[in-house]
Amino acid sequence: MSIKKQFIKSKPVCKVTFSIEAKEAAQVAVVGDFNNWNPEEGALSKLKNGTFKGAFDLSKDAAYEFKYLVDGEYINESEADSFKWNEFAGTENSVLEV
């Protein structure tokens, strides 16, 4: 799993690339505050090596809670900037700061 941040000087956004190795998975998405936890808006593309990857433009100077959704199972990003307890979900969420 990994997160790559690329700040764009001409715009108030950060291009964030999410990638997760899931060779056996059929569908993977990244869901969070930035896409209303909607798997369709966070769908990742599967590469030939079994990694799922996708890039999203997120507003800068913000923190977002998120998780990966791998074949219906929620998974945290081990390289997240931090983790935050979520009362609604009853679990910790990954946190991305841009």
Side-chain angles (χ1 to χ4, degrees):
M1 291 186 268
S2 73
I3 300 173
K4 180 180 160 192
K5 300 174 191 175
Q6 182 180 2
F7 291 92
I8 301 171
K9 292 180 181 179
S10 62
K11 297 180 183 177
V13 298
C14 177
K15 182 177 181 175
V16 180
T17 303
F18 296 91
S19 61
I20 178 172
E21 189 175 306
K23 291 179 181 173
E24 305 301 318
Q27 292 183 323
V28 177
V30 61
V31 294
D33 295 336
F34 51 86
N35 63 10
N36 295 314
W37 298 86
N38 183 338
E40 292 175 11
E41 290 182 26
L44 302 180
S45 301
K46 189 171 188 175
L47 306 178
K48 289 182 180 181
N49 67 1
T51 299
F52 283 80
K53 193 172 192 178
F56 303 88
D57 288 342
L58 305 182
S59 296
K60 288 196 289 190
D61 302 320
Y64 302 96
E65 289 186 40
F66 75 98
K67 284 188 179 271
Y68 292 108
L69 184 59
V70 180
D71 287 344
E73 181 182 348
Y74 289 98
I75 298 173
N76 274 327
E77 166 62 71
S78 59
E79 296 181 17
D81 294 321
S82 62
F83 298 91
K84 182 177 178 184
W85 181 258
N86 183 292
E87 286 293 329
F88 178 76
T91 186
E92 278 190 332
N93 286 336
S94 303
V95 176
L96 172 69
E97 296 176 16
V98 291

